[in-house]
Coordinates of all heavy atoms in Angstrom, one line a residue:
M1 N -31.4 -7.9 -9.0 CA -30.6 -9.1 -8.9 C -29.2 -8.7 -8.4 O -28.7 -7.7 -8.8 CB -30.5 -9.8 -10.2 CG -29.9 -11.2 -10.1 SD -29.4 -11.9 -11.7 CE -30.8 -11.8 -12.7
Y2 N -28.6 -9.6 -7.6 CA -27.2 -9.3 -7.1 C -26.3 -9.6 -8.3 O -26.5 -10.4 -9.1 CB -26.9 -10.2 -6.0 CG -27.6 -10.1 -4.7 CD1 -28.4 -11.1 -4.2 CD2 -27.6 -8.9 -4.0 CE1 -29.1 -11.0 -3.0 CE2 -28.3 -8.7 -2.8 CZ -29.0 -9.8 -2.3 OH -29.7 -9.6 -1.1
K3 N -25.1 -8.9 -8.2 CA -24.0 -9.2 -9.1 C -22.8 -9.6 -8.1 O -22.6 -8.9 -7.2 CB -23.6 -8.0 -9.9 CG -24.0 -8.0 -11.3 CD -23.3 -6.9 -12.0 CE -24.1 -6.5 -13.2 NZ -23.6 -5.3 -13.9
V4 N -22.2 -10.7 -8.4 CA -21.0 -11.1 -7.6 C -19.8 -11.1 -8.5 O -19.8 -11.7 -9.6 CB -21.2 -12.5 -7.1 CG1 -19.9 -12.9 -6.2 CG2 -22.4 -12.7 -6.3
Y5 N -18.8 -10.3 -8.1 CA -17.5 -10.2 -8.8 C -16.6 -11.2 -8.1 O -16.3 -11.0 -6.9 CB -16.9 -8.8 -8.8 CG -17.8 -7.8 -9.6 CD1 -18.9 -7.2 -9.0 CD2 -17.6 -7.5 -10.9 CE1 -19.7 -6.4 -9.6 CE2 -18.4 -6.7 -11.6 CZ -19.5 -6.1 -11.0 OH -20.3 -5.2 -11.7
G6 N -16.2 -12.2 -8.8 CA -15.4 -13.2 -8.1 C -14.7 -14.2 -9.1 O -14.7 -14.0 -10.3
D7 N -14.1 -15.2 -8.5 CA -13.3 -16.2 -9.2 C -13.6 -17.5 -8.6 O -13.5 -17.7 -7.3 CB -11.8 -15.9 -9.1 CG -10.9 -16.8 -9.8 OD1 -11.3 -18.0 -10.0 OD2 -9.8 -16.4 -10.2
Y8 N -14.0 -18.5 -9.4 CA -14.4 -19.8 -8.8 C -13.2 -20.5 -8.1 O -13.4 -21.4 -7.3 CB -14.9 -20.7 -10.0 CG -16.2 -20.4 -10.5 CD1 -16.5 -20.2 -11.8 CD2 -17.3 -20.2 -9.6 CE1 -17.7 -19.8 -12.3 CE2 -18.6 -19.8 -10.1 CZ -18.8 -19.7 -11.4 OH -20.0 -19.3 -11.9
N9 N -12.0 -20.1 -8.4 CA -10.8 -20.7 -7.7 C -10.6 -20.2 -6.3 O -9.7 -20.7 -5.6 CB -9.6 -20.5 -8.5 CG -9.6 -21.2 -9.8 OD1 -10.0 -22.4 -9.9 ND2 -9.3 -20.5 -10.9
S10 N -11.3 -19.1 -5.9 CA -11.1 -18.5 -4.6 C -12.1 -19.0 -3.6 O -13.4 -18.9 -3.8 CB -11.3 -17.0 -4.8 OG -11.7 -16.3 -3.6
G11 N -11.6 -19.4 -2.5 CA -12.5 -19.9 -1.4 C -13.3 -18.7 -0.8 O -14.5 -18.9 -0.5
N12 N -12.8 -17.5 -0.8 CA -13.5 -16.4 -0.3 C -14.7 -16.1 -1.2 O -15.8 -15.6 -0.8 CB -12.6 -15.1 -0.2 CG -11.7 -15.2 1.0 OD1 -12.1 -15.6 2.0 ND2 -10.5 -14.8 0.8
C13 N -14.6 -16.3 -2.5 CA -15.7 -16.1 -3.5 C -16.7 -17.3 -3.4 O -17.9 -17.1 -3.5 CB -15.1 -16.0 -4.9 SG -14.0 -14.6 -5.1
Y14 N -16.1 -18.5 -3.2 CA -17.0 -19.7 -3.1 C -18.0 -19.6 -2.0 O -19.1 -20.0 -2.1 CB -16.1 -20.9 -3.0 CG -17.0 -22.2 -2.7 CD1 -17.7 -22.8 -3.7 CD2 -17.1 -22.7 -1.4 CE1 -18.5 -23.9 -3.5 CE2 -17.9 -23.8 -1.2 CZ -18.6 -24.4 -2.2 OH -19.4 -25.5 -2.0
K15 N -17.5 -19.0 -0.9 CA -18.4 -18.8 0.3 C -19.7 -18.0 -0.1 O -20.8 -18.3 0.4 CB -17.7 -18.0 1.4 CG -16.6 -18.8 2.1 CD -16.1 -18.0 3.3 CE -15.2 -16.9 3.0 NZ -14.6 -16.2 4.1
I16 N -19.5 -17.0 -0.9 CA -20.6 -16.1 -1.3 C -21.5 -16.9 -2.2 O -22.8 -16.8 -2.1 CB -20.1 -14.9 -2.0 CG1 -19.0 -14.2 -1.2 CG2 -21.2 -13.9 -2.4 CD1 -19.4 -13.8 0.2
K17 N -20.9 -17.6 -3.2 CA -21.7 -18.4 -4.1 C -22.6 -19.5 -3.3 O -23.8 -19.7 -3.6 CB -20.8 -19.1 -5.1 CG -21.5 -19.9 -6.1 CD -20.4 -20.5 -7.1 CE -21.0 -21.5 -8.1 NZ -22.1 -21.0 -8.8
L18 N -21.9 -20.1 -2.3 CA -22.6 -21.1 -1.5 C -23.8 -20.5 -0.8 O -24.9 -21.0 -0.8 CB -21.6 -21.8 -0.5 CG -22.2 -22.8 0.4 CD1 -22.8 -24.0 -0.4 CD2 -21.1 -23.3 1.4
M19 N -23.5 -19.4 -0.1 CA -24.6 -18.7 0.6 C -25.8 -18.3 -0.3 O -27.0 -18.5 0.0 CB -24.1 -17.5 1.3 CG -25.1 -16.6 2.0 SD -25.9 -17.5 3.4 CE -24.8 -17.0 4.7
L20 N -25.5 -17.7 -1.5 CA -26.5 -17.3 -2.4 C -27.3 -18.5 -2.9 O -28.6 -18.5 -3.0 CB -25.9 -16.6 -3.6 CG -25.4 -15.2 -3.3 CD1 -24.5 -14.6 -4.3 CD2 -26.6 -14.2 -3.1
N21 N -26.6 -19.6 -3.1 CA -27.3 -20.9 -3.5 C -28.2 -21.4 -2.4 O -29.3 -21.8 -2.7 CB -26.3 -21.9 -4.0 CG -25.8 -21.5 -5.4 OD1 -26.3 -20.7 -6.1 ND2 -24.6 -22.1 -5.8
L22 N -27.7 -21.4 -1.2 CA -28.5 -21.9 0.0 C -29.7 -21.1 0.1 O -30.8 -21.6 0.5 CB -27.6 -21.9 1.2 CG -26.6 -22.9 1.4 CD1 -25.6 -22.6 2.5 CD2 -27.2 -24.3 1.5
L23 N -29.6 -19.8 -0.1 CA -30.8 -18.9 0.0 C -31.7 -18.9 -1.2 O -32.8 -18.3 -1.1 CB -30.3 -17.4 0.3 CG -29.5 -17.2 1.6 CD1 -28.9 -15.8 1.6 CD2 -30.4 -17.4 2.8
G24 N -31.2 -19.5 -2.2 CA -32.1 -19.5 -3.5 C -32.1 -18.1 -4.1 O -33.1 -17.8 -4.8
A25 N -31.1 -17.3 -3.8 CA -31.2 -15.9 -4.4 C -30.7 -15.9 -5.8 O -29.8 -16.7 -6.2 CB -30.3 -15.0 -3.5
E26 N -31.2 -15.0 -6.6 CA -30.8 -14.9 -8.0 C -29.6 -13.9 -8.0 O -29.5 -12.9 -7.3 CB -31.9 -14.2 -8.8 CG -33.0 -15.2 -9.2 CD -33.9 -14.6 -10.3 OE1 -33.4 -13.8 -11.1 OE2 -35.1 -15.0 -10.2
Y27 N -28.6 -14.3 -8.8 CA -27.4 -13.5 -8.9 C -26.7 -13.7 -10.3 O -26.9 -14.8 -10.9 CB -26.4 -13.7 -7.8 CG -25.9 -15.2 -7.8 CD1 -24.6 -15.5 -8.4 CD2 -26.5 -16.2 -7.1 CE1 -24.1 -16.7 -8.4 CE2 -26.0 -17.5 -7.1 CZ -24.8 -17.7 -7.7 OH -24.4 -19.0 -7.7
Q28 N -26.0 -12.7 -10.6 CA -25.2 -12.8 -11.8 C -23.7 -12.9 -11.4 O -23.3 -12.1 -10.6 CB -25.4 -11.6 -12.7 CG -24.6 -11.6 -14.0 CD -24.6 -10.3 -14.7 OE1 -25.5 -9.4 -14.4 NE2 -23.8 -10.1 -15.7
W29 N -23.0 -13.9 -11.9 CA -21.6 -14.1 -11.5 C -20.7 -13.4 -12.6 O -20.9 -13.7 -13.8 CB -21.2 -15.6 -11.5 CG -19.9 -15.8 -11.0 CD1 -18.7 -15.9 -11.8 CD2 -19.5 -16.0 -9.6 NE1 -17.6 -16.2 -11.0 CE2 -18.1 -16.3 -9.7 CE3 -20.1 -16.1 -8.4 CZ2 -17.3 -16.5 -8.5 CZ3 -19.4 -16.3 -7.3 CH2 -18.0 -16.5 -7.3
V30 N -19.9 -12.5 -12.1 CA -19.0 -11.8 -13.1 C -17.6 -12.2 -12.8 O -17.1 -12.0 -11.7 CB -19.1 -10.2 -12.9 CG1 -18.2 -9.5 -13.9 CG2 -20.5 -9.7 -13.0
A31 N -17.0 -13.0 -13.7 CA -15.7 -13.5 -13.5 C -14.6 -12.4 -13.5 O -14.6 -11.6 -14.5 CB -15.4 -14.6 -14.6
V32 N -13.8 -12.4 -12.5 CA -12.7 -11.5 -12.4 C -11.4 -12.2 -12.3 O -11.2 -13.1 -11.5 CB -12.9 -10.6 -11.2 CG1 -11.7 -9.6 -11.0 CG2 -14.2 -9.8 -11.3
D33 N -10.5 -11.9 -13.2 CA -9.2 -12.6 -13.3 C -8.1 -11.8 -12.6 O -7.6 -10.8 -13.1 CB -8.8 -12.9 -14.8 CG -7.6 -13.7 -14.9 OD1 -6.8 -13.9 -13.9 OD2 -7.3 -14.2 -16.0
I34 N -7.8 -12.2 -11.3 CA -6.9 -11.5 -10.5 C -5.5 -11.5 -11.2 O -4.8 -10.5 -11.2 CB -6.6 -12.3 -9.2 CG1 -7.9 -12.5 -8.4 CG2 -5.6 -11.5 -8.3 CD1 -7.7 -13.4 -7.2
L35 N -5.1 -12.6 -11.8 CA -3.8 -12.8 -12.3 C -3.6 -11.9 -13.6 O -2.5 -11.6 -13.9 CB -3.5 -14.2 -12.7 CG -3.5 -15.2 -11.5 CD1 -3.3 -16.6 -11.9 CD2 -2.6 -14.7 -10.4
N36 N -4.7 -11.5 -14.2 CA -4.6 -10.6 -15.3 C -4.8 -9.1 -14.9 O -5.0 -8.3 -15.8 CB -5.7 -10.9 -16.4 CG -5.1 -11.7 -17.5 OD1 -3.9 -11.6 -17.8 ND2 -5.9 -12.4 -18.3
G37 N -4.8 -8.9 -13.6 CA -4.9 -7.5 -13.1 C -6.3 -6.9 -13.2 O -6.4 -5.7 -13.1
E38 N -7.3 -7.7 -13.3 CA -8.6 -7.2 -13.4 C -9.2 -6.6 -12.1 O -10.2 -5.9 -12.2 CB -9.6 -8.3 -13.9 CG -9.3 -8.6 -15.4 CD -10.2 -9.7 -16.0 OE1 -11.2 -10.1 -15.3 OE2 -9.9 -10.1 -17.1
T39 N -8.5 -6.8 -11.0 CA -8.9 -6.1 -9.8 C -8.2 -4.8 -9.6 O -8.4 -4.1 -8.6 CB -8.6 -7.0 -8.5 OG1 -7.2 -7.4 -8.6 CG2 -9.5 -8.2 -8.4
E40 N -7.3 -4.4 -10.6 CA -6.6 -3.2 -10.5 C -7.1 -2.1 -11.4 O -6.4 -1.0 -11.5 CB -5.1 -3.5 -10.7 CG -4.5 -4.4 -9.6 CD -3.2 -5.0 -10.0 OE1 -2.6 -4.6 -11.0 OE2 -2.8 -6.0 -9.4
T41 N -8.1 -2.4 -12.1 CA -8.6 -1.4 -13.1 C -9.4 -0.3 -12.3 O -9.9 -0.5 -11.2 CB -9.6 -2.0 -14.1 OG1 -10.7 -2.5 -13.4 CG2 -8.9 -3.2 -14.8
E42 N -9.5 0.9 -13.0 CA -10.2 2.0 -12.4 C -11.7 1.6 -12.1 O -12.2 1.9 -11.0 CB -10.2 3.2 -13.4 CG -10.5 4.5 -12.8 CD -10.4 5.6 -13.8 OE1 -9.5 5.6 -14.6 OE2 -11.3 6.5 -13.8
D43 N -12.3 0.9 -13.0 CA -13.7 0.5 -12.9 C -13.8 -0.4 -11.7 O -14.8 -0.3 -10.9 CB -14.2 -0.3 -14.1 CG -14.6 0.7 -15.2 OD1 -14.5 1.9 -15.0 OD2 -14.9 0.2 -16.3
F44 N -12.9 -1.4 -11.5 CA -13.0 -2.3 -10.4 C -12.7 -1.6 -9.1 O -13.4 -1.8 -8.1 CB -12.1 -3.6 -10.5 CG -12.4 -4.6 -9.5 CD1 -13.4 -5.5 -9.6 CD2 -11.7 -4.6 -8.3 CE1 -13.7 -6.4 -8.6 CE2 -12.0 -5.5 -7.3 CZ -13.0 -6.4 -7.4
L45 N -11.7 -0.8 -9.1 CA -11.4 -0.1 -7.8 C -12.5 0.9 -7.4 O -12.6 1.2 -6.2 CB -10.1 0.7 -8.0 CG -8.8 -0.2 -8.1 CD1 -7.6 0.6 -8.5 CD2 -8.6 -1.0 -6.8
A46 N -13.4 1.3 -8.3 CA -14.5 2.1 -7.9 C -15.5 1.2 -7.1 O -16.3 1.7 -6.3 CB -15.2 2.7 -9.2
K47 N -15.5 -0.1 -7.4 CA -16.4 -1.0 -6.7 C -15.8 -1.4 -5.3 O -16.5 -1.6 -4.3 CB -16.7 -2.2 -7.5 CG -17.4 -1.9 -8.8 CD -17.8 -3.1 -9.6 CE -18.3 -2.7 -11.0 NZ -19.5 -1.9 -10.9
N48 N -14.5 -1.7 -5.3 CA -13.8 -2.0 -4.1 C -12.4 -1.4 -4.1 O -11.5 -1.9 -4.8 CB -13.6 -3.5 -3.9 CG -12.9 -3.9 -2.7 OD1 -12.5 -3.0 -1.9 ND2 -12.7 -5.2 -2.4
P49 N -12.2 -0.3 -3.4 CA -10.9 0.4 -3.4 C -9.8 -0.5 -2.8 O -8.6 -0.2 -3.1 CB -11.1 1.6 -2.4 CG -12.6 1.7 -2.2 CD -13.2 0.3 -2.5
N50 N -10.1 -1.6 -2.2 CA -9.0 -2.5 -1.7 C -8.5 -3.4 -2.9 O -7.6 -4.1 -2.7 CB -9.6 -3.4 -0.6 CG -9.9 -2.6 0.7 OD1 -9.2 -1.6 0.9 ND2 -10.9 -3.0 1.4
G51 N -9.3 -3.4 -4.0 CA -8.8 -4.2 -5.2 C -8.9 -5.7 -4.9 O -8.0 -6.4 -5.4
K52 N -9.9 -6.2 -4.2 CA -10.0 -7.6 -3.9 C -11.4 -8.1 -4.2 O -12.4 -7.3 -4.2 CB -9.6 -7.9 -2.5 CG -8.2 -7.7 -2.1 CD -7.9 -8.1 -0.7 CE -6.5 -7.7 -0.3 NZ -5.4 -8.3 -1.1
I53 N -11.4 -9.4 -4.6 CA -12.7 -10.1 -4.7 C -12.9 -10.9 -3.5 O -11.9 -11.3 -2.9 CB -12.8 -10.9 -6.0 CG1 -11.5 -11.8 -6.2 CG2 -13.0 -10.0 -7.2 CD1 -11.5 -12.7 -7.3
P54 N -14.1 -11.3 -3.1 CA -15.4 -11.0 -3.8 C -15.9 -9.6 -3.5 O -15.6 -9.0 -2.5 CB -16.3 -12.1 -3.2 CG -15.8 -12.2 -1.8 CD -14.3 -12.1 -1.9
V55 N -16.7 -9.2 -4.5 CA -17.5 -8.0 -4.3 C -19.0 -8.3 -4.6 O -19.2 -9.0 -5.6 CB -17.1 -6.8 -5.2 CG1 -18.0 -5.6 -5.2 CG2 -15.7 -6.4 -4.9
L56 N -19.9 -7.9 -3.7 CA -21.3 -8.1 -4.0 C -21.9 -6.7 -4.4 O -21.8 -5.8 -3.6 CB -22.0 -8.6 -2.7 CG -23.5 -8.8 -2.9 CD1 -23.8 -10.1 -3.7 CD2 -24.2 -8.9 -1.5
E57 N -22.5 -6.6 -5.6 CA -23.1 -5.4 -6.0 C -24.6 -5.5 -5.9 O -25.2 -6.5 -6.4 CB -22.7 -5.1 -7.4 CG -23.2 -3.7 -7.9 CD -22.6 -3.3 -9.3 OE1 -21.5 -3.7 -9.6 OE2 -23.3 -2.5 -9.9
L58 N -25.2 -4.6 -5.2 CA -26.7 -4.6 -5.0 C -27.4 -3.9 -6.2 O -26.7 -3.3 -7.1 CB -27.1 -3.8 -3.7 CG -26.3 -4.2 -2.5 CD1 -26.9 -3.5 -1.3 CD2 -26.3 -5.7 -2.3
E59 N -28.7 -4.0 -6.3 CA -29.4 -3.5 -7.5 C -29.2 -2.0 -7.6 O -29.2 -1.5 -8.7 CB -30.9 -3.9 -7.4 CG -31.1 -5.3 -7.7 CD -32.5 -5.7 -8.1 OE1 -33.3 -4.8 -8.4 OE2 -32.9 -6.9 -8.0
D60 N -29.0 -1.3 -6.5 CA -28.9 0.2 -6.6 C -27.4 0.6 -6.9 O -27.1 1.8 -6.8 CB -29.4 0.8 -5.3 CG -28.5 0.5 -4.1 OD1 -27.5 -0.2 -4.2 OD2 -28.9 1.0 -3.0
G61 N -26.6 -0.4 -7.1 CA -25.2 -0.1 -7.4 C -24.2 -0.1 -6.2 O -23.0 0.0 -6.3
T62 N -24.8 -0.2 -5.0 CA -24.0 -0.2 -3.8 C -23.1 -1.5 -3.8 O -23.6 -2.6 -4.2 CB -24.9 -0.3 -2.5 OG1 -25.7 0.9 -2.5 CG2 -24.0 -0.3 -1.3
C63 N -21.9 -1.3 -3.5 CA -21.0 -2.5 -3.5 C -20.5 -2.8 -2.1 O -20.1 -1.9 -1.3 CB -19.8 -2.2 -4.4 SG -20.2 -2.2 -6.1
L64 N -20.5 -4.1 -1.7 CA -20.0 -4.6 -0.5 C -18.8 -5.4 -0.7 O -18.8 -6.2 -1.7 CB -21.1 -5.4 0.3 CG -22.5 -4.8 0.5 CD1 -23.4 -5.8 1.1 CD2 -22.4 -3.6 1.3
W65 N -17.8 -5.4 0.2 CA -16.7 -6.2 0.0 C -16.3 -6.8 1.4 O -17.0 -6.4 2.4 CB -15.5 -5.5 -0.6 CG -15.0 -4.3 0.1 CD1 -14.1 -4.2 1.1 CD2 -15.4 -2.9 -0.1 NE1 -13.9 -2.9 1.5 CE2 -14.7 -2.1 0.8 CE3 -16.3 -2.3 -1.0 CZ2 -14.9 -0.7 0.8 CZ3 -16.5 -1.0 -1.0 CH2 -15.8 -0.2 -0.1
E66 N -15.4 -7.7 1.5 CA -15.0 -8.5 2.6 C -16.0 -9.6 2.7 O -17.2 -9.4 3.1 CB -14.9 -7.7 3.9 CG -13.6 -6.9 4.0 CD -12.4 -7.7 4.0 OE1 -12.4 -8.8 4.6 OE2 -11.4 -7.3 3.4
S67 N -15.6 -10.9 2.5 CA -16.5 -12.0 2.3 C -17.3 -12.2 3.6 O -18.5 -12.5 3.4 CB -15.7 -13.3 2.0 OG -14.7 -13.5 3.0
T68 N -16.7 -12.0 4.8 CA -17.5 -12.3 6.0 C -18.6 -11.2 6.1 O -19.7 -11.5 6.6 CB -16.6 -12.4 7.2 OG1 -15.6 -13.3 7.0 CG2 -17.4 -12.8 8.4
A69 N -18.3 -10.0 5.8 CA -19.3 -8.9 5.9 C -20.4 -9.2 4.9 O -21.6 -9.0 5.2 CB -18.7 -7.6 5.6
I70 N -20.1 -9.7 3.7 CA -21.1 -10.0 2.7 C -22.0 -11.2 3.2 O -23.2 -11.1 3.0 CB -20.4 -10.4 1.3 CG1 -19.7 -9.2 0.7 CG2 -21.4 -10.9 0.3 CD1 -18.8 -9.5 -0.5
L71 N -21.3 -12.2 3.8 CA -22.1 -13.3 4.3 C -23.1 -12.8 5.4 O -24.3 -13.2 5.4 CB -21.2 -14.4 4.9 CG -20.3 -15.2 4.0 CD1 -19.5 -16.2 4.8 CD2 -21.2 -15.9 2.9
N72 N -22.6 -11.9 6.3 CA -23.5 -11.4 7.3 C -24.7 -10.6 6.7 O -25.8 -10.8 7.1 CB -22.7 -10.5 8.2 CG -22.1 -11.3 9.4 OD1 -22.8 -11.7 10.3 ND2 -20.8 -11.6 9.2
F73 N -24.4 -9.8 5.7 CA -25.4 -9.1 5.0 C -26.5 -10.0 4.4 O -27.7 -9.8 4.6 CB -24.8 -8.2 3.9 CG -25.8 -7.5 3.0 CD1 -26.4 -6.3 3.4 CD2 -26.2 -8.1 1.8 CE1 -27.4 -5.7 2.6 CE2 -27.1 -7.5 1.0 CZ -27.7 -6.3 1.4
L74 N -26.0 -11.0 3.7 CA -26.9 -11.9 3.0 C -27.8 -12.8 4.0 O -28.9 -13.1 3.8 CB -26.2 -12.9 2.1 CG -25.5 -12.2 0.8 CD1 -24.6 -13.2 0.1 CD2 -26.6 -11.7 -0.1
A75 N -27.1 -13.1 5.1 CA -27.8 -14.0 6.1 C -28.8 -13.3 7.0 O -29.7 -13.9 7.6 CB -26.8 -14.7 7.0
E76 N -28.6 -12.0 7.1 CA -29.5 -11.2 8.0 C -31.0 -11.5 7.8 O -31.5 -11.4 6.6 CB -29.2 -9.7 7.7 CG -30.0 -8.7 8.5 CD -29.3 -8.3 9.8 OE1 -28.1 -8.2 9.7 OE2 -30.0 -8.1 10.8
G77 N -31.6 -11.9 8.8 CA -33.1 -12.1 8.8 C -33.5 -13.5 8.2 O -34.7 -13.7 8.0
T78 N -32.5 -14.3 7.8 CA -32.9 -15.6 7.3 C -32.7 -16.7 8.4 O -32.0 -16.5 9.4 CB -31.9 -16.0 6.1 OG1 -30.7 -16.3 6.6 CG2 -31.8 -14.9 5.1
P79 N -33.5 -17.8 8.2 CA -33.3 -18.9 9.2 C -31.9 -19.5 9.2 O -31.4 -20.0 10.2 CB -34.3 -19.9 8.8 CG -35.0 -19.4 7.6 CD -34.4 -18.1 7.2
Ligands
LIG1 N1 -10.4 -10.6 3.7 C1 -10.9 -10.6 2.3 C2 -9.8 -11.3 1.5 C3 -10.1 -11.1 0.0 C4 -9.0 -11.6 -0.8 O1 -7.8 -11.8 -0.4 N2 -9.3 -11.9 -2.1 C5 -8.3 -12.4 -3.0 C6 -8.8 -13.6 -3.7 S1 -9.2 -14.9 -2.6 C7 -7.9 -11.3 -4.0 O2 -8.8 -10.6 -4.5 N3 -6.6 -11.1 -4.2 C8 -6.2 -10.1 -5.2 C9 -5.2 -9.2 -4.7 O3 -4.9 -9.3 -3.5 O4 -4.6 -8.5 -5.5 C10 -12.2 -11.3 2.2 O5 -12.5 -12.1 3.1 O6 -13.0 -11.0 1.3

Protein backbone atom coordinates (compact mmCIF):
# COMPACT_ATOMS: atom_id res chain seq x y z
CA MET A 1 0.00 0.00 0.00
CA TYR A 2 1.19 3.53 -0.72
CA LYS A 3 1.94 5.98 2.06
CA VAL A 4 1.38 9.67 1.42
CA TYR A 5 3.07 12.23 3.64
CA GLY A 6 1.06 15.39 3.35
CA ASP A 7 -1.22 18.05 4.74
CA TYR A 8 -4.88 18.43 3.78
CA ASN A 9 -4.40 22.23 3.63
CA SER A 10 -1.87 21.91 0.81
CA GLY A 11 -3.03 21.98 -2.80
CA ASN A 12 0.09 20.05 -3.83
CA CYS A 13 -0.92 17.28 -1.43
CA TYR A 14 -4.59 17.42 -2.41
CA LYS A 15 -3.63 16.64 -6.03
CA ILE A 16 -2.08 13.35 -4.90
CA LYS A 17 -5.08 12.45 -2.76
CA LEU A 18 -7.42 13.23 -5.67
CA MET A 19 -5.42 11.08 -8.09
CA LEU A 20 -5.26 8.13 -5.68
CA ASN A 21 -9.00 8.37 -5.09
CA LEU A 22 -9.73 8.55 -8.84
CA LEU A 23 -7.60 5.44 -9.34
CA GLY A 24 -9.22 3.65 -6.41
CA ALA A 25 -5.75 2.98 -5.01
CA GLU A 26 -5.26 2.06 -1.37
CA TYR A 27 -3.08 4.41 0.61
CA GLN A 28 -2.28 5.50 4.10
CA TRP A 29 -2.25 9.24 4.74
CA VAL A 30 0.45 10.39 7.13
CA ALA A 31 -0.24 13.92 8.34
CA VAL A 32 2.83 16.15 8.36
CA ASP A 33 2.69 19.52 10.10
CA ILE A 34 4.94 21.94 8.19
CA LEU A 35 4.43 24.71 10.73
CA ASN A 36 5.72 22.46 13.51
CA GLY A 37 8.90 21.68 11.60
CA GLU A 38 7.92 18.10 10.82
CA THR A 39 9.48 18.36 7.33
CA GLU A 40 12.82 19.27 8.91
CA THR A 41 13.40 16.14 10.97
CA GLU A 42 16.17 13.68 10.12
CA ASP A 43 13.57 10.96 9.44
CA PHE A 44 11.59 13.16 7.04
CA LEU A 45 14.68 14.48 5.24
CA ALA A 46 15.69 10.85 4.62
CA LYS A 47 12.44 10.56 2.63
CA ASN A 48 12.75 13.90 0.85
CA PRO A 49 16.03 15.83 1.17
CA ASN A 50 14.17 18.93 -0.09
CA GLY A 51 12.09 18.90 3.11
CA LYS A 52 8.77 19.34 1.34
CA ILE A 53 5.47 17.54 1.11
CA PRO A 54 3.90 15.69 -0.63
CA VAL A 55 5.99 12.53 -0.53
CA LEU A 56 4.75 9.23 -1.91
CA GLU A 57 6.33 6.16 -0.29
CA LEU A 58 6.13 2.88 -2.19
CA GLU A 59 5.85 -0.53 -0.52
CA ASP A 60 9.59 -1.13 -0.94
CA GLY A 61 10.37 2.12 0.89
CA THR A 62 11.26 4.11 -2.23
CA CYS A 63 10.15 7.71 -1.85
CA LEU A 64 9.03 10.02 -4.63
CA TRP A 65 8.61 13.76 -4.27
CA GLU A 66 7.46 16.70 -6.42
CA SER A 67 3.70 16.52 -6.85
CA THR A 68 3.71 16.54 -10.66
CA ALA A 69 6.27 13.74 -10.80
CA ILE A 70 4.14 11.74 -8.35
CA LEU A 71 1.03 12.35 -10.49
CA ASN A 72 2.90 11.13 -13.58
CA PHE A 73 4.09 8.03 -11.74
CA LEU A 74 0.58 7.19 -10.52
CA ALA A 75 -1.09 7.90 -13.87
CA GLU A 76 1.35 5.84 -15.93
CA GLY A 77 -0.53 3.11 -17.81
CA THR A 78 -3.99 4.14 -16.60
CA PRO A 79 -6.84 5.37 -18.84
N1 LIG B 1 7.18 21.81 -6.30
C1 LIG B 1 6.79 21.09 -5.12
C2 LIG B 1 6.34 22.07 -4.07
C3 LIG B 1 6.10 21.38 -2.74
C4 LIG B 1 5.86 22.40 -1.66
O1 LIG B 1 6.17 23.60 -1.78
N2 LIG B 1 5.31 21.91 -0.56
C5 LIG B 1 5.03 22.78 0.54
C6 LIG B 1 3.59 22.54 1.02
S1 LIG B 1 2.44 22.95 -0.27
C7 LIG B 1 5.98 22.46 1.67
O2 LIG B 1 6.25 21.30 1.95
N3 LIG B 1 6.52 23.49 2.32
C8 LIG B 1 7.38 23.29 3.45
C9 LIG B 1 8.63 24.06 3.35
O3 LIG B 1 8.90 24.64 2.29
O4 LIG B 1 9.36 24.08 4.35
C10 LIG B 1 5.68 20.09 -5.47
O5 LIG B 1 4.94 20.35 -6.43
O6 LIG B 1 5.56 19.06 -4.78
